[in-house]
Amino acid sequence: MRARLVAGNWKMNGSRAANQVLLDAVVAGVRSVECVVCVPFPYLAQAAERLRGTQVAWGAQNLSEHASGAHTGEVSAAMLAEFGCRYVLVGHSERRQLYGETDAQAAAKFAAAQGAGLKPIFCVGETLEQRDAGRTEAVVARQLDAVLGKRAFGDAVLAYEPVWAIGTGRTATPEQAQAVHAFLRQRVGAAVRILYGGSVKAQNAAAIFAMPDVDGGLIGGASLVAQDFLAICAAAQRKG
Ligand code: PGA
């Protein structure tokens, strides 16, 4: 059985003081589900210091596809590994939409992450316009195939995040999520964990996680509130 994973994506939020309170609460409250917080780069050292030896892993939200050199403002996979990251988000829709990240770039970042021993959490998802045009499967297949065409998925994690559900309060129904997860499952196989992301909250998490091909969640807004994040982690714990 695939182990469930709950990943928090803090996005560009936090402060040293607020992080300390949030990390303390998450460490104190998390039970037996695998969980990771993906924090802004400057807070990796703080996360590493607080979380080392606990059940909570830490990771980053992006990385460079290049190894080193003249890439002002970029951060390499080796740097993330040096700060103890286990996971790194790759190809989040905000990177694709706001920063023009292409499929090819996302695939190159995926390769760079794996090359440094990090587990990519590779994000795919369609816009509302694409869904309405009946192109959901074509879009997520294209995004995923950019990676699969080049290398094995290995122990990376896949995340389905419909763009229209991110930060909007509008979640995919459990059935909508399951349909896309089942489609993705055919391509990556039975062993790969597929997370759902997009307005997952304490109230809707259990119903989404109950779907057979949903192996956990990628949580934005609700990962900033300890009580909400912990409730989602609890919902992800397998019963019996
Ligand atoms: P949300 O974000 O939970 O705030 O919708 C999810 C994400 O962008 O990963």
Side-chain angles (χ1 to χ4, degrees):
M1 194 180 278
R2 295 178 297 268
R4 293 259 177 82
L5 173 66
V6 178
N9 173 11
W10 287 9
K11 308 196 178 184
M12 197 172 71
N13 294 293
S15 67
R16 289 182 74 88
N19 301 345
Q20 207 59 32
V21 174
L22 180 54
L23 293 172
D24 283 348
V26 170
V27 167
V30 80
R31 296 286 173 258
S32 63
V33 74
E34 190 182 347
C35 121
V36 53
V37 289
C38 296
V39 308
F41 293 136
Y43 299 135
L44 282 172
Q46 184 185 18
E49 191 176 320
R50 180 62 190 89
L51 299 177
R52 191 173 290 117
T54 75
Q55 214 194 298
V56 182
W58 60 97
Q61 302 167 13
N62 183 31
L63 79 165
S64 172
E65 64 271 43
H66 303 290
S68 66
H71 299 284
T72 302
E74 293 292 291
V75 173
S76 74
M79 294 172 188
L80 299 183
E82 197 175 15
F83 277 83
C85 290
R86 188 177 306 160
Y87 292 96
V88 59
L89 302 182
V90 174
H92 189 280
S93 64
E94 287 156 17
R95 300 297 318 168
R96 295 176 189 266
Q97 293 206 312
L98 304 176
Y99 300 97
E101 215 170 277
T102 62
D103 287 337
Q105 226 179 334
K109 290 181 178 201
F110 182 102
Q114 281 192 331
L118 303 171
K119 296 185 194 196
I121 300 177
F122 189 74
C123 306
V124 300
E126 82 289 1
T127 63
L128 189 56
E129 195 186 15
Q130 291 165 334
R131 172 164 283 262
D132 288 344
R135 291 175 51 218
T136 298
E137 291 189 351
V139 168
V140 298
R142 189 202 73 220
Q143 293 169 335
L144 178 57
D145 288 354
V147 168
L148 296 182
K150 286 209 158 66
R151 57 194 294 123
F153 211 72
D155 63 0
V157 175
L158 184 56
Y160 170 56
E161 295 205 309
V163 177
W164 47 271
I166 293 177
T168 58
R170 193 179 154 195
T171 337
T173 64
E175 292 73 24
Q176 283 175 321
Q178 169 58 26
V180 179
H181 282 229
F183 174 77
L184 294 168
R185 170 80 56 218
Q186 290 173 356
R187 296 179 114 76
V188 292
V192 169
R193 294 186 286 185
I194 309 178
L195 312 183
Y196 170 81
S199 296
V200 176
K201 307 288 174 209
Q203 309 84 273
N204 59 27
I208 296 169
F209 297 160
M211 293 291 123
D213 287 299
V214 176
D215 304 308
L218 178 52
I219 319 300
S223 73
L224 298 170
V225 181
Q227 194 183 322
D228 293 351
F229 189 62
L230 289 168
I232 294 167
C233 290
Q237 234 163 286
R238 290 198 189 272
K239 316 268 183 313

